[in-house]
Amino acid sequence: MSEEKITFNAKKGKWYVSKKLKIDEKTQDVEISRILISIEETLGKKIKDYLPFDMIQLEEIADEIYVSKKGRVKEEDISQALAKLKSPATTKKLGKLTDLKEGKDILKVVLTNIILERLGIKTHIDVKTMDKFIEKSK
């Protein structure tokens, strides 16, 4: 019977990451979810570095949609930002970064994540929150 485990290794230039978890009968599901969250978090941070698009221009497009503010985000800010995000004008701006429909689709996903993060809407579980959950649930 083969050993159960989760292994994630990546090396590109000076960037190297390794995340491992051996799974046995004592391993809890929450430990498995924690390492998967950690891997997802790592990937989320690095994916943008390797996309073949001008990420500075994408950030500028995001700035035109919504700039983070201190304090609580108002519902009208959320609705206005989402309307701008889905507008044909934004799609046209993305078209300046790529001619390919698939490229625009990729950029829309990245841009959506940028805007949602600025609005304080989380779409992923972060490791710190998971660690606190694990600690408090013991």
Side-chain angles (χ1 to χ4, degrees):
M1 179 193 257
S2 67
E3 176 183 48
E4 291 187 332
K5 61 184 174 180
I6 296 172
T7 305
F8 174 76
N9 294 302
K11 182 175 181 346
K12 171 72 170 115
K14 293 181 180 180
W15 177 62
Y16 175 76
V17 64
S18 180
K19 297 178 186 272
K20 299 175 184 182
L21 176 68
K22 288 184 180 181
I23 301 170
D24 60 26
E25 64 279 347
K26 295 179 184 177
T27 306
Q28 297 178 1
D29 287 347
V30 72
E31 294 173 75
I32 294 169
S33 65
R34 192 229 178 258
I35 194 163
L36 294 173
I37 290 166
S38 176
I39 292 167
E40 179 186 41
E41 197 172 86
T42 298
L43 292 173
K45 290 175 183 174
K46 289 310 272 187
I47 288 171
K48 288 190 262 182
D49 292 346
Y50 296 102
L51 289 174
F53 308 109
D54 185 334
M55 300 310 284
I56 293 171
Q57 281 189 303
L58 188 64
E59 287 286 343
E60 289 170 359
I61 293 169
D63 290 343
E64 294 173 18
I65 295 171
Y66 184 79
V67 177
S68 298
K69 301 172 186 171
K70 289 184 179 181
R72 189 175 176 277
V73 178
K74 299 175 187 169
E75 285 182 29
E76 63 191 47
D77 290 337
I78 295 170
S79 61
Q80 288 173 2
L82 294 178
K84 287 180 187 178
L85 180 64
K86 299 300 284 178
S87 74
T90 298
T91 302
K92 186 176 180 178
K93 290 174 188 171
L94 295 177
K96 293 178 182 176
L97 302 179
T98 180
D99 294 330
L100 300 174
K101 179 199 176 301
E102 294 80 5
K104 283 185 234 175
D105 291 344
I106 292 166
L107 288 167
K108 282 181 186 177
V109 170
V110 175
L111 182 60
T112 299
N113 285 327
I114 291 168
I115 298 303
L116 290 176
E117 184 178 310
R118 289 180 180 189
L119 291 168
I121 300 170
K122 293 185 177 190
T123 59
H124 301 282
I125 303 164
D126 62 73
V127 174
K128 288 180 183 179
T129 302
M130 189 59 163
D131 288 343
K132 287 178 185 176
F133 172 79
I134 291 169
E135 185 61 35
K136 288 181 179 182
S137 63
K138 288 183 178 181

